[in-house]
Amino acid sequence: HHPAAAQDRALRRRGGRSLRPRLSTASDTLAADLRAVCGERIVLHPSGLNELSAEVPSADLLAVAALLRDAPTLQFAQLIDVAGVDFLDYGRSEWQAQGATGSGFSRGVDRAAGHTLRGERRFAVVYQLLSVVHNRRVRLRVWCEAGADPVVDSVTGVWAGANWFEREAFDLFGILFRGHPDLRRLLT
């Protein structure tokens, strides 16, 4: 049970605004455009005020990435960042900060709970995309395929700038990028 969820329910009972993210009209339009272009291949998640995240299955990553880049209503031609994410202890522990207290950030953590992994999904890759033409941003997440090694397709054929970022995720997290032209450690 997360305290923020309880606060949200209590606030709604008192007639206050919900703490859940709400999309702006521009984000609603982006969500509609993403659904129209990508269909059932993506799942959309509001992730903050005027922010939108999309999740795509690993098998559809390259097709969806090309659609995001090439569709006239989207034109996400610029890849801003690629990050590997390890969800092993997500929700179980909090970061250590100088002067941290027992009542500040991340108090929704349940240290007694088991791992929060859903099945074998531990690693994900997150892409931050920008459409300069439409002045829009979207966050795209893909879960690595379950197996001995975390694997996802390389998007260097869609966004050449992914090369270094994918090498970084490989070096730091061991995520393999299938089809990467030069997947090796950054500092050898």
Side-chain angles (χ1 to χ4, degrees), residues 33 71-76 131-137:
D33 289 345
T73 57
L74 299 175
Q75 296 184 18
F76 286 102
S131 172
V132 176
V133 172
H134 298 295
N135 192 24
R136 295 170 158 178
R137 294 175 186 267

Side-chain angles (χ1 to χ4, degrees), residues 112-127:
H115 287 291
T116 58
L117 296 176
R118 290 182 244 149
E120 295 294 318
R121 298 191 328 171
R122 175 177 173 179
F123 292 98
V125 178
V126 178
Y127 305 87

Side-chain angles (χ1 to χ4, degrees), residues 13 17 29 38 46 57 74 98 100-101 113-114 147 150 167 170 173 175:
R13 279 193 297 269
R17 273 190 49 171
T29 303
C38 300
L74 299 175
Q98 192 174 23
T101 68
R167 285 181 59 193
F170 166 69
F173 293 98
I175 298 172

Side-chain angles (χ1 to χ4, degrees), residues 3-187:
Q7 290 172 354
D8 196 27
R9 284 190 300 277
L11 195 58
R12 271 187 267 137
R13 279 193 297 269
R14 291 191 308 252
R17 273 190 49 171
S18 171
L19 299 175
R20 292 177 190 243
R22 296 190 190 278
L23 295 177
S24 68
T25 304
S27 293
D28 284 337
T29 303
L30 173 57
D33 289 345
L34 287 166
R35 284 187 193 103
V37 170
C38 300
E40 298 295 319
R41 290 185 277 195
I42 61 168
V43 176
L44 300 177
H45 305 283
S47 58
L49 187 61
N50 299 327
E51 292 182 9
L52 191 62
S53 293
E55 190 170 310
V56 61
S58 174
D60 294 330
L61 175 61
L62 292 179
V64 168
L67 287 170
L68 292 174
R69 182 195 62 196
D70 299 336
T73 57
L74 299 175
Q75 296 184 18
F76 286 102
Q78 187 167 356
L79 176 73
I80 301 296
D81 190 24
V82 177
V85 183
D86 183 352
F87 284 90
L88 180 63
D89 281 327
Y90 181 74
R92 281 191 52 177
S93 63
E94 58 189 276
W95 68 89
Q96 294 298 315
Q98 192 174 23
T101 68
S103 61
F105 296 109
S106 280
R107 300 308 133 190
V109 171
D110 182 0
R111 288 185 180 85
H115 287 291
T116 58
L117 296 176
R118 290 182 244 149
E120 295 294 318
R121 298 191 328 171
R122 175 177 173 179
F123 292 98
V125 178
V126 178
Y127 305 87
Q128 306 288 341
L129 305 174
L130 171 66
S131 172
V132 176
V133 172
H134 298 295
N135 192 24
R136 295 170 158 178
R137 294 175 186 267
V138 71
R139 181 179 303 114
L140 183 67
R141 179 174 67 184
V142 60
W143 288 94
C144 295
E145 297 170 4
D149 295 313
V151 179
V152 69
D153 288 322
S154 172
V155 296
T156 55
V158 180
W159 296 289
N163 190 318
W164 187 264
F165 294 128
E166 289 180 353
R167 285 181 59 193
E168 181 180 49
F170 166 69
D171 199 9
L172 296 174
F173 293 98
I175 298 172
L176 300 172
F177 292 88
R178 187 182 304 112
H180 190 283
D182 186 23
L183 192 61
R184 60 187 164 98
R185 296 192 65 159
L186 293 175
L187 300 173

